[in-house]
Every structure is written in C-alpha cells, then in structure tokens.
Amino acid sequence: RGTRRPRASCCTSGEEARMAAEAGGPTGIVERAGLAVKRCRTIASLWAGYGSVLEVSTSDDQSLIIKSVDASNGSGVSHNRKVASYINEASFYSTYAAELIQKGINIATPLLVEASASDDGVSSCDVAFLMTDLRVEYPRACHSLSEHEMRTVLTWLAKFHGSFWEQPVLADQGGYWYLSTRLDEFDEIPRSSPWNRLAAAAPALEAYLKGDGSTSGGGQRHG
C-alpha cells in the first residue's frame, strides 16, 4: 500500500551498506535483526516522499525487503490518514502475520517490525519493516491468469478474508477511499447533473458500506 515504483536506484555493497546501517539509515533494521547487509538497492518510493522500499541481500545470502517509513513532517487529513495506515500495517504484521502463515495463508514473513508514533496516533510516525522477499518463492509476475491460477488466487483471498470475517481488528474502517477522509475531493465534485445525484447519495452509500453489524460482515483488508 502507498507505494509507487520508480527505476531501481541507490545500489550499495559491502562497506557502503555497513556504513549506512551504522548511521541508522533504512538498512539499520537488518543489523538490529542480527543479520549483515551485503548489498541493497531502492526498488520503490512511498507516496509523498514518506519513505522507501529496499531490496537487501544479506551476508548469508538471504533476499529480504525493507520498508522504511518516515511520516514525521506533515499535517492535514491526507497526512493523518497515511500515518494511521502505516501504524495499522505495523500492527498487522506484528500481531496477525504469524497466525496467517501457520494457516497456510502465504504472506511476507516479518523478521522485525519497529514502530513509533505520536501520542494521538495520527500526527507522525516512524515505521520500519524487515520481511522476506515473496519473489523468492513466487518468482513469476502474472499479467494474465489461467483458470487454475485464478482459482488459486480466489482460494487465497477466501482464506484470508475468512480468517478475519466479523472479527473487528486494527481499525474500525480500512482503505483510503471512504468519504469522511475525502471531503476535500467530495466538495470539488461539480453539483451539476448527473454528479449532483451521486453527491446527494454519497453519505448514505458510505453508511451502507460501513455497515452497523446487521447489514454487512466485518473483515480485514489487504494492500
């Protein structure tokens, strides 16, 4: 969630990686997990410059992923939404990942998750994830699916959502696209036909999608 994929950059190796870790940079989490960095490169940046995703090779030849988040500077609804999202993500990997993996629901395995946030939980946060690289076990990127592959994907989705169905976890509402955090964009919708009918119905649609426990089941979203 919240990533855009630029050209890979910032390749380092050996002494450069060690110095970056000692300086407390993104690769420092590898050292704190008891591993040593051999090579690393940035493979994606987070929206609005809030951090980066790195690919790391360790001295024992593991391929790992670091997601480093620095949301210490910012304000407003959009910023607060991002901060809450990253804190929820840290809570998910810290609390639920091991159980899902034990059930055979394959996700990236968190080796170390570090998170700190402001007292209100939405003003600022620093989060770092060190995870296994799913590309090792699943090296093929699919742009189309066979029927068998489609059924495999749907089975994974069913198992994931079934594990959390009607069990409130992490946040009352997930995702980015609910109305209460998009009021600025909502106000920009032209109030001329046909948009005026959609705008008038938007609050009721949001209330229905949220549900009150009797109209819809609760679950967990994945990014």
Side-chain angles (χ1 to χ4, degrees):
R1 173 182 298 190
T3 61
R4 53 190 175 89
R5 188 171 303 279
R7 181 179 58 202
S9 61
C10 299
C11 295
T12 63
S13 62
E15 185 66 11
E16 288 177 296
R18 183 189 65 80
M19 291 175 64
E22 290 179 351
T27 57
I29 192 173
V30 179
E31 305 287 340
R32 294 190 291 276
L35 301 168
V37 178
K38 182 167 63 177
R39 290 185 301 274
C40 67
R41 64 170 184 159
T42 301
I43 57 174
S45 61
L46 305 185
W47 290 111
Y50 280 30
S52 56
V53 178
L54 296 89
E55 172 189 84
V56 174
S57 297
T58 64
S59 58
D60 59 351
D61 294 325
Q62 294 186 68
S63 178
L64 303 176
I65 296 295
I66 297 170
K67 184 174 181 178
S68 178
V69 180
D70 179 4
S72 56
N73 296 311
S75 61
V77 173
S78 178
H79 169 79
N80 293 347
R81 182 177 62 242
K82 290 182 176 67
V83 170
S85 168
Y86 290 129
I87 293 299
N88 284 337
E89 185 178 4
S91 297
F92 170 81
Y93 279 107
S94 298
T95 307
Y96 300 104
E99 179 183 349
L100 290 172
I101 293 168
Q102 288 175 356
K103 292 179 178 179
I105 304 171
N106 294 329
I107 60 173
T109 301
L111 305 180
L112 184 60
V113 178
E114 300 175 335
S116 62
S118 55
D119 291 341
D120 63 5
V122 296
S123 296
S124 65
C125 72
D126 289 287
V127 184
F129 306 85
L130 178 64
M131 302 182 287
T132 55
D133 187 347
L134 285 174
R135 294 173 300 177
V136 174
E137 189 172 358
Y138 305 100
R140 188 167 68 91
C142 297
H143 300 287
S144 61
L145 299 176
S146 66
E147 181 178 348
H148 174 73
E149 291 168 335
M150 178 188 67
R151 290 181 180 276
T152 299
V153 170
L154 292 175
T155 298
W156 186 94
L157 288 169
K159 288 181 178 179
F160 181 94
H161 290 295
S163 296
F164 296 102
W165 190 249
E166 295 185 341
Q167 297 183 33
V169 291
L170 294 181
D172 293 334
Q173 186 171 8
Y176 275 84
W177 301 107
Y178 49 95
L179 182 61
S180 55
T181 61
R182 292 290 178 180
L183 294 177
D184 291 341
E185 292 86 346
F186 179 70
D187 288 339
E188 293 175 0
I189 295 177
R191 294 305 194 264
S192 57
S193 182
W195 297 108
N196 58 341
R197 295 180 62 191
L198 177 61
L205 289 171
E206 183 191 35
Y208 178 80
L209 291 172
K210 283 182 177 179
D212 59 5
S214 62
T215 57
S216 64
Q220 181 69 277
R221 286 192 185 182
H222 55 86

